[in-house]
Amino acid sequence: MTLPKIAPSILSADLLQLQTQVQAAERGGADRFQIDVMDGVYVPNITFGAPMIAAMRRATTKPLEAHLMIVHPDHYLDEFARAGADLIIVHQETTRHLDKSIQHIKQLGKKAGVALNPATPEGALEYVLEALDLVLIMTVNPGFGGQKFIAYTLEKIRRVRAMLDARNPGCDLEVDGGIELATIRATHQAGANVFVAGTSVFGCADGPQAGVQGLLQAAQLDE
Ligand code: DX5
């Protein structure tokens, strides 16, 4: 089983203490950070744009993932790349030409990820799987932190893990939404290796460092 990597989502961070919280999460073992970009159209919430990527670029040397929960992501790929994103994730449901979007991200010199909402079948990845650096399986319906994990996504994680093992073993399989001590174990056992966590890191009563450490320990229990 692969070593788990934690990607704290700053959606749940205290933005007035962002750098301090990011440094604490790093001390806890965070592998990278995810910035949830939401436009209030594709999802019913508005969050951050490229300026937040640029700010995070100054706060940490860890890789930054721009998770684009926006319509027309192709219009913004260059801007997010310039702002300092290392990996750009587009939702399959928002792109008319997914192959073209992936190629655009790679031509910018960035890693390319595709996200699938809970009800989107893994077959949507069939013809682009080998081109990807990351597949993101949403384990909640996107838009807000603190939601309840959707259990039926476990089967999709298992199926995508089998697809990647056969055709693109170096690709990350990331999950996002409702990831906490119980669900990180189940999703890790199902085949995920990167775990986006907002509430369970930045909402942890003992602070972000303990939040990340707790998730890493939980993921590796019974190994
Ligand atoms: C989509 C967002 C959230 C966030 C993590 O709604 O992508 O999933 O990153 O949320 P938590 O970890 O608080 O469930």
Side-chain angles (χ1 to χ4, degrees):
M1 198 176 283
T2 54
L3 266 181
K5 297 175 183 175
I6 307 298
S9 152
I10 64 165
L11 184 63
S12 306
D14 174 353
L15 297 182
L16 286 179
Q17 308 291 333
L18 187 56
Q19 182 161 27
T20 307
Q21 295 214 315
V22 163
Q23 289 167 343
E26 278 193 38
R27 288 195 299 274
D31 177 75
R32 64 188 79 173
F33 290 90
Q34 187 175 103
I35 294 92
D36 290 298
V37 179
M38 300 182 188
D39 62 3
V41 179
Y42 178 59
V43 293
N45 193 8
I46 297 176
T47 57
F48 322 112
M52 179 57 86
I53 302 277
M56 280 293 290
R57 189 67 290 159
R58 293 169 28 233
T60 179
T61 57
K62 293 290 184 182
L64 299 179
E65 295 183 348
H67 177 187
L68 305 187
M69 290 167 271
I70 62 176
V71 296
H72 309 310
D74 300 303
H75 297 176
Y76 302 93
L77 298 177
D78 293 56
E79 185 182 0
F80 281 104
R82 275 197 308 276
D86 299 285
L87 189 150
I88 301 177
I89 303 168
V90 297
H91 270 254
Q92 181 274 334
E93 305 90 354
T94 62
T95 56
R96 293 182 188 283
H97 307 288
L98 182 58
D99 179 275
K100 197 171 162 188
S101 301
I102 295 165
Q103 297 315 321
H104 185 165
I105 294 169
K106 300 181 90 159
Q107 283 155 13
L108 290 166
K110 304 302 178 181
K111 290 187 176 181
V114 171
L116 300 180
N117 281 342
T120 303
E122 64 277 5
L125 301 171
E126 180 63 26
Y127 296 100
V128 295
L129 198 72
E130 284 79 359
L132 297 179
D133 300 293
L134 179 140
V135 172
L136 171 52
I137 304 296
M138 292 304 298
T139 46
V140 295
N141 290 297
F144 299 92
Q147 299 182 81
K148 190 173 178 319
F149 179 86
I150 299 174
Y152 71 68
T153 58
L154 282 170
E155 179 54 25
K156 192 193 309 186
I157 294 165
R158 283 190 277 271
R159 292 180 186 181
V160 172
R161 169 48 60 201
M163 291 167 71
L164 292 176
D165 286 351
R167 296 170 49 190
N168 187 355
C171 180
D172 279 334
L173 202 175
E174 184 173 64
V175 290
D176 179 354
I179 300 300
E180 34 79 22
L181 300 183
T183 54
I184 194 168
R185 285 182 63 192
T187 49
H188 190 223
Q189 286 165 353
N193 71 301
V194 185
F195 305 87
V196 176
T199 304
S200 56
V201 170
F202 295 113
C204 177
D206 297 322
Q209 178 176 345
V212 174
Q213 288 169 331
L215 289 169
L216 286 170
Q217 285 157 13
Q220 298 173 89
L221 283 176
D222 305 335
E223 280 194 3

